[in-house]
Amino acid sequence: MKYVPRIVLFLAIPALLFLVPWWTLIGATTDGALFWLGSAIFLAGFVCLPAAMFLGHGPQQHDAASIVGDTLLGLMWVVFSWSVLGNVVGLGLSVSGVDDPARSRIVAAGVFVIAAALSVWGVVEARRVPRVRTLDVAIRGLGPALDGLRMVVITDTHYAALDRLRWSEKVVDVVNAQQPDIACHAGDLADGSVEKRHRQVDPLGKIEAPLGRFYITGNHEYFGDAAGWIEHMTSIGWQPLHNQHETITRGDDRLVLAGIDDPTGVGLPGHGPDLPAALAGADSNAPVVLLAHQPRQVIEAAAAGVALQISGHTHGGQIWPFHYLVRLEQPVVAGLSRHGEHTQLYTSRGTGFWGPQFRVFAPSEITVLVLRGA
């Protein structure tokens, strides 16, 4: 009985995702054979979605099922969102004196065209090599020898069931073209075990950054094999910052680069964010740049006087209008923001995508942060 609420929620969400579009596209606009055919298609989708998600992301981790489930989830989120907006437009048409069946058919046609176009565009956006976003960030206390330091940030690559080996190789080419001094991966490296995903991850070992390549865990590592990924990233030349720091030195000037675990790590012995441990022994006169996967970790970072926190996790919402829900949990969805008196936070929209291979109004990015003396 303790699983009943979870099962109800697991089925209620797909029911809502399918019911509103069904009414908008089928129930209010068709009859006869077309009504029954459309209803059968929606019913099949409703049954398929939870089944595929369970088979793909449950204990069996079946890759083909996860691809089907994730794609269907993304598609239905797009259709659901625009169906809701379409029905709002329908109310406006009703007030304006447009009666059924014309009103419902206008709404259905608009929803179908917009959802179809955005779905195709969303897949193209998700699968493309990310655009480069370059941003100067003023760091209080940064010495002149470190002024102009180039930090290239990738995050939320989410290597998973879809084989993106070639995409990974192209990302490495773009990163190297930016001539980074430091390369950072801010977590959510892959979904799945090292054995299943390492081929997609291994090209990251070819990234060139003379002052170091640094990696932290995201929440998705803790859904799988965080310890295994930490070990694997070490084996391909990346330094995990597991609640620890490194001092970057150029000339007589220093910068502390620290990293902390994702909050979900508390379930694994020896893991979980520990900022005091990460900064223990750090030069108190050097500014601190912190890698922390989730933007909400900036509260503790600001209290500790961190100059800049670099995060991912949000994907910029990934599929509009999901960013409104993300904002309920995180203080920032994307971009550079200020927290407290001296702390800045840069939140990346992510380099890859999670689950549905869709990005709608939330383009992926490879970020170049050029550190400047304040």
Side-chain angles (χ1 to χ4, degrees):
M1 292 298 295
K2 66 179 181 179
Y3 294 110
V4 170
R6 296 182 185 179
I7 295 172
V8 171
L9 181 63
F10 187 64
L11 295 176
I13 293 175
L16 182 62
L17 285 178
F18 279 90
L19 184 60
V20 175
W22 169 82
W23 173 255
T24 305
L25 299 175
I26 304 297
T29 61
T30 63
D31 54 23
L34 190 59
F35 171 85
W36 292 110
L37 177 60
S39 297
I41 292 173
F42 271 85
L43 180 61
F46 167 68
V47 173
C48 179
L49 178 57
M53 293 298 285
F54 178 76
L55 291 173
H57 298 284
Q60 296 187 34
Q61 298 285 303
H62 194 286
D63 280 355
S66 70
I67 293 172
V68 172
D70 292 343
T71 302
L72 189 55
L73 176 63
L75 176 64
M76 291 314 300
W77 173 254
V78 173
V79 180
F80 169 81
S81 300
W82 288 93
S83 293
V84 171
L85 290 174
N87 282 287
V88 172
V89 172
L91 290 175
L93 292 175
S94 178
V95 172
S96 300
V98 180
D99 296 325
D100 271 336
R103 180 178 70 246
S104 295
R105 289 173 179 171
I106 291 171
V107 169
V111 169
F112 179 82
V113 170
I114 293 173
L118 288 179
S119 295
V120 172
W121 180 56
V123 171
V124 172
E125 276 291 307
R127 295 180 67 91
R128 65 169 293 150
V129 176
R131 301 170 180 87
V132 175
R133 185 179 188 191
T134 303
L135 189 69
D136 285 1
V137 182
I139 301 295
R140 183 177 181 181
L142 188 72
L146 291 168
D147 188 89
L149 186 80
R150 295 173 66 83
M151 299 184 66
V152 176
V153 179
I154 59 175
T155 183
D156 298 280
T157 44
H158 286 283
Y159 295 110
L162 283 168
D163 188 352
R164 288 183 289 150
L165 173 60
R166 183 62 185 132
W167 178 88
S168 186
E169 292 170 344
K170 290 180 179 179
V171 166
V172 169
D173 291 340
V174 173
V175 170
N176 284 337
Q178 310 314 308
Q179 299 182 315
D181 297 304
I182 296 172
C184 303
H185 194 300
D188 279 4
L189 174 68
D191 293 293
S193 66
V194 174
E195 181 182 4
K196 292 179 72 174
R197 310 297 183 216
H198 76 89
R199 286 186 66 255
Q200 298 179 63
V201 173
D202 287 349
L204 300 184
K206 297 179 180 178
I207 288 177
E208 300 171 358
L211 296 183
R213 299 173 293 181
F214 301 93
Y215 159 73
I216 60 167
T217 52
N219 56 308
H220 279 250
E221 279 87 342
Y222 292 106
F223 299 154
D225 182 13
W229 282 116
I230 289 173
E231 181 180 350
H232 186 73
M233 289 297 278
T234 302
S235 74
I236 62 172
W238 286 69
Q239 180 174 344
L241 293 177
H242 174 39
N243 294 323
Q244 62 192 86
H245 74 271
E246 286 293 322
T247 301
I248 309 299
T249 302
R250 181 180 278 173
D252 295 328
D253 296 324
R254 294 183 176 186
L255 172 73
V256 173
L257 180 61
I260 55 177
D261 296 347
D262 186 81
T264 53
V266 296
L268 185 66
H271 289 255
D274 189 340
L275 185 56
L279 296 179
D283 185 347
S284 59
N285 295 317
V288 176
V289 174
L290 175 69
L291 301 179
H293 182 63
Q294 299 196 35
R296 62 190 174 99
Q297 294 174 275
V298 77
I299 296 173
E300 186 179 9
V306 168
L308 172 66
Q309 175 176 313
I310 300 171
S311 299
H313 186 63
T314 68
H315 299 204
Q318 187 164 319
I319 308 176
W320 186 92
F322 197 76
H323 67 286
Y324 291 114
L325 298 179
V326 174
R327 187 63 179 81
L328 296 176
E329 184 192 28
Q330 301 293 335
V332 177
V333 175
L336 188 66
S337 55
R338 182 170 292 277
H339 302 262
E341 189 174 353
H342 301 300
T343 301
Q344 297 178 86
L345 165 66
Y346 185 80
T347 305
S348 169
R349 291 188 299 256
T351 309
F353 57 86
W354 174 85
Q357 52 179 319
F358 289 77
R359 274 189 174 270
V360 178
F361 303 142
S364 55
E365 64 179 80
I366 293 169
T367 317
V368 182
L369 300 178
V370 183
L371 305 191
R372 299 294 185 185

